Amino acid sequence: MSKIVVALGGNAILSKDASAQAQMKAVKETAKELVNFIKNGDQLIITHGNGPQVGNLLLQQSAADSDENPAMPLDTCGAMTQGSIGYWFQNAMKEELLDSGIDKDVMAIVTQTIVDENDPAFQNPSKPIGPFYKETEVEGLKALHPDWQIIEDAGRGYRRVVPSPKPLEINEYRAIKQVVDAGIVPIVSGGGGIPVVRKGNRLVGTEAVIDKDFSASKIAQLIDADKLIILTSAGGVLYNYGKPNQVELKEVSVDEIQKHIDAKEFAKGSMRPKVEAATSFVRNTGNPAVIGDLEDVKEIIKGNEGTTIVSESVPATVK
């Protein structure tokens, strides 16, 4: 049995309709794909993003903010979305398992990610959250929210950005490991985990968002996972993205892909954190990582789709 951490992008949850009903429907479709890992005999650990959800929740909080009903801070909103998305996944996965004749428990765990309060990310907010905005909307947003920083995001529109410090430790990793060892499917570290800093024996929430791929990589290392799989809406890793000589990699060594990371060939708000998180896992464990499309799960399990990053030196192969 292989222990596999699967990190899901926002496409696994959010549709154009941000209602709870629409997101639960999207989660149900994602659960149908994820059950294939369990059918394959793998022990599955699920983690997911929450950028659109926490951004929308912050807008709702801001709209209702008053002295009598003050808006919740970002770390608490992160916990709230962990709970809601975890609830959706927990029920959807259990239903799909039972429909497949598998009686297996699923558990969502509210997870805290410990960060360094002196991480330089706090001086350079870079993590996009919330919905995409048109360029014509930016000026009005800044007038309404003067404390927001808004940037153009990978050619897809404009989004609010917040600090994104690197994870030092996953506070609940021992509990997660016990749950995994018991054969339960855990849903953990939603949105990268609630960012906290250690103050003596206290964990204090901070206004930040952890990149879910880095968090997934850290969890995979701490629980001794056999493989990390990062599922996206964009498929595997591409060299020369958007150019006539664009190619998708099938297999590549960690040293080879590191050269392209160092050359800043991957988009900062898109593929770069995925390949950096994947290479961190491979370097620290010697085990493979895969980046691929959520819709290709069955073929990823067979090794026919996605980009596999391996520790040994092998010639890069393309599809």
Side-chain angles (χ1 to χ4, degrees):
M1 176 185 290
S2 293
K3 213 184 308 185
I4 298 178
V5 172
V6 172
L8 298 163
N11 65 300
I13 307 166
L14 187 69
S15 65
K16 292 181 180 179
D17 181 350
S19 69
Q21 290 78 10
Q23 292 185 76
M24 282 189 280
K25 183 178 178 181
V27 166
K28 183 173 175 59
E29 292 303 311
T30 296
K32 289 180 181 178
E33 299 294 336
L34 295 181
V35 163
N36 287 298
F37 286 104
I38 298 169
K39 289 179 179 177
N40 191 54
D42 298 318
Q43 172 63 45
L44 182 63
I45 301 95
I46 302 168
T47 185
H48 59 83
N50 72 342
Q53 291 78 16
V54 79
N56 289 338
L57 180 56
L58 287 167
L59 287 173
Q60 293 168 5
Q61 292 285 315
S62 177
D65 189 21
S66 67
D67 291 339
E68 295 77 20
N69 186 32
M72 294 293 106
L74 180 55
D75 59 306
T76 299
C77 288
M80 293 164 72
T81 56
Q82 264 198 42
S84 60
I85 297 170
Y87 155 63
W88 297 336
F89 265 112
Q90 186 170 280
N91 284 346
M93 285 296 297
K94 184 67 176 181
E95 181 180 346
E96 291 302 320
L97 285 166
L98 290 174
D99 286 347
S100 300
I102 302 170
D103 187 6
K104 195 176 185 68
D105 288 327
V106 185
M107 176 187 293
I109 302 173
V110 175
T111 312
Q112 299 174 93
T113 302
I114 300 170
V115 301
D116 183 354
E117 63 182 332
N118 296 314
D119 190 304
F122 286 107
Q123 306 304 318
N124 182 32
S126 63
K127 180 65 176 177
I129 62 170
F132 288 91
Y133 299 104
K134 298 176 182 178
E135 186 175 5
T136 53
E137 297 177 284
V138 171
E139 187 175 342
L141 285 167
K142 287 183 175 179
L144 284 173
H145 307 282
D147 56 327
W148 283 17
Q149 293 197 41
I150 299 173
I151 65 166
E152 192 272 332
D153 182 15
R156 297 176 291 179
Y158 289 78
R159 296 176 80 186
R160 181 189 175 191
V161 290
V162 296
S164 184
K166 293 290 177 65
L168 296 179
E169 185 181 343
I170 306 300
N171 188 62
E172 290 75 20
Y173 86 90
R174 293 182 186 88
I176 294 168
K177 196 169 184 179
Q178 289 180 340
V179 167
V180 170
D181 291 343
I184 298 168
V185 178
I187 300 142
V188 301
S189 195
I194 304 159
V196 295
V197 296
R198 197 183 294 281
K199 302 281 188 181
N201 290 331
R202 295 177 60 225
L203 294 178
V204 181
T206 185
E207 291 278 307
V209 171
I210 312 297
D211 186 283
K212 71 101 174 49
D213 296 314
F214 286 119
S215 179
S217 177
K218 180 64 73 173
I219 287 172
Q221 294 170 48
L222 288 170
I223 67 169
D224 304 316
D226 298 297
K227 185 180 289 186
L228 169 65
I229 299 179
I230 298 174
L231 297 177
T232 77
S233 60
V237 180
L238 302 174
Y239 281 172
N240 308 309
Y241 177 72
K243 299 178 180 178
N245 58 340
Q246 170 182 297
V247 294
E248 182 175 351
L249 297 172
K250 180 172 178 58
E251 185 175 78
V252 62
S253 73
V254 68
D255 290 337
E256 158 72 14
I257 204 164
Q258 187 65 51
K259 297 175 185 176
H260 295 266
I261 295 172
D262 294 341
K264 301 188 186 325
E265 294 180 18
F266 303 112
K268 185 176 180 181
S270 180
M271 186 56 72
R272 189 189 304 178
K274 294 173 176 55
V275 293
E276 288 180 344
T279 55
S280 174
F281 173 75
V282 175
R283 285 195 187 283
N284 285 291
T285 67
N287 295 331
V290 181
I291 300 174
D293 198 305
L294 173 63
E295 296 182 356
D296 294 331
V297 162
K298 288 183 180 179
E299 293 302 312
I300 288 172
I301 291 171
K302 295 176 184 177
N304 296 333
E305 287 291 343
T307 299
T308 301
I309 302 171
V310 296
S311 60
E312 62 267 24
S313 295
V314 296
T317 58
V318 299
K319 291 180 65 177

